[in-house]
Amino acid sequence: MPKRKRNYKNVSVYTRCNEYEDIFRVDDKVLFCNYCNVSVEWRQKSTVDNHCNSQKHISNMESHEEQNKAQQLTLASTQVAADLKKQVIEDLIEAFAIADIPLEKVNSLLPFFKKHVKNG
């Protein structure tokens, strides 16, 4: 029986990377997964597909997207947070003055504030 020639189209690591946009990157002609940070054999499409369908890859993708959902603070929200912090400090100083507690004792409360107050 004569051997059949396989009719593969020319596939490079770069074309394989372009097939899976934003999932892989090429570094020194090696295909790397952006989410799992592992190299993936790129010559056979089924190997790349198997990696993309693996439970590890899916969970890494989900956790990566959850981390990116955190919103960046705007200048206005940062200003509001700073104003609230100033208000808390002023209220604390007033409470200590009314209770006749020396302000030096505030330092002993720092671990409590760092634990229970946002941006302690």
Side-chain angles (χ1 to χ4, degrees), residues 6-118:
R6 295 189 179 182
N7 202 3
Y8 291 119
K9 66 179 184 177
N10 291 335
V11 177
S12 73
V13 67
Y14 299 101
T15 57
R16 191 68 76 200
C17 182
N18 290 336
E19 289 175 9
Y20 299 87
E21 215 169 297
D22 298 329
I23 295 177
F24 295 102
R25 70 182 183 280
V26 177
D27 189 16
D28 199 23
K29 296 186 180 181
V30 178
L31 188 68
F32 282 96
C33 177
N34 290 329
Y35 300 104
C36 304
N37 205 27
V38 296
S39 64
V40 177
E41 178 56 47
W42 56 269
R43 287 177 180 81
Q44 293 188 340
K45 187 174 185 341
S46 63
T47 306
V48 179
D49 286 338
N50 287 340
H51 173 78
C52 289
N53 294 327
S54 71
Q55 189 59 42
K56 178 184 175 190
H57 176 79
I58 292 169
S59 69
N60 285 343
M61 253 178 85
E62 289 171 353
S63 67
H64 180 75
E65 291 190 8
E66 283 178 21
Q67 290 174 354
N68 286 344
K69 284 183 182 177
Q71 295 180 353
Q72 187 175 9
L73 293 176
T74 62
L75 182 60
S77 64
T78 305
Q79 186 65 42
V80 169
D83 291 342
L84 288 173
K85 188 174 181 179
K86 284 180 187 177
Q87 187 63 45
V88 168
I89 292 170
E90 290 172 2
D91 291 347
L92 182 66
I93 290 172
E94 185 179 344
F96 272 51
I98 291 171
D100 201 25
I101 299 173
L103 291 179
E104 295 85 35
K105 300 220 176 187
V106 172
N107 290 337
S108 62
L109 295 174
L110 285 178
F112 172 81
F113 288 128
K114 287 183 179 181
K115 182 178 178 182
H116 296 287
V117 176
K118 187 175 182 180

